[in-house]
């Protein structure tokens, strides 16, 4: 099931848009300043990622098809969409962090697969590497936030 690179980049863009919406809502929902600050920072990062994917979309050719393991890419996107559609059931910081961990992991998997589309394009590969590293930093921030919550409960 070949997809165009442009379509795959649009999926990545929608993943970042969903991430932004989730992080923004949680930064406004929780009262703890540490929670607010981390989720606000994550929301800002998602906006920057959106800009990068929009830039890649502008450069992609509509007819550029790739025959890759599209099923894994689509599965990652479905997982993320399901997570965000269940957003209404996320009431506690612990649930929000668990949700965000999965979101970041799915994003990293998707972007690593997406990177396979550009083995010869250094600029695109570098941009995707940067986004992947930022997503990995998000996981570290979420881990620190989880530890903060655990410590504050004791």
């Amino acid at each position: 099931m070949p997809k165009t690179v442009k379509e795959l980049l649009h999926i990545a863009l929608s993943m970042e848009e969903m991430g932004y919406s989730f992080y923004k809502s949680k930064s406004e929902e929780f009262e703890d300043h540490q929670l607010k600050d981390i989720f606000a920072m994550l929301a800002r990062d998602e906006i920057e990622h959106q800009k990068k994917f929009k830039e890649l979309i502008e450069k992609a050719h509509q007819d550029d098809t790739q025959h890759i393991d599209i099923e894994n890419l689509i599965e990652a996107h479905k997982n993320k969409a399901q997570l965000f559609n269940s957003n209404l059931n996320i009431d506690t910081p612990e649930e929000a962090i668990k949700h965000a961990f999965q979101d970041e992991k799915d994003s990293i998997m998707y972007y690593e697969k997406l990177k396979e589309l550009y083995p010869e394009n250094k600029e695109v590969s570098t941009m995707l590497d940067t986004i992947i590293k930022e997503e990995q930093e998000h996981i570290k921030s979420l881990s620190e936030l989880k530890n903060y919550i655990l410590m504050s409960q004791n």
Side-chain angles (χ1 to χ4, degrees), residues 34 41 99 107 120 122:
Q34 183 80 8
M41 182 262 317
H99 172 93
S107 295
E120 317 241 332
K122 191 78 169 154

Side-chain angles (χ1 to χ4, degrees), residues 22-23 39 42 95-105 139 142:
F22 176 75
Y23 292 136
F39 282 118
L42 293 170
E95 291 170 338
I97 291 167
K98 181 179 177 183
H99 172 93
F101 266 123
Q102 188 60 52
D103 169 49
E104 297 297 336
K105 288 178 187 177
I139 289 174
L142 290 164

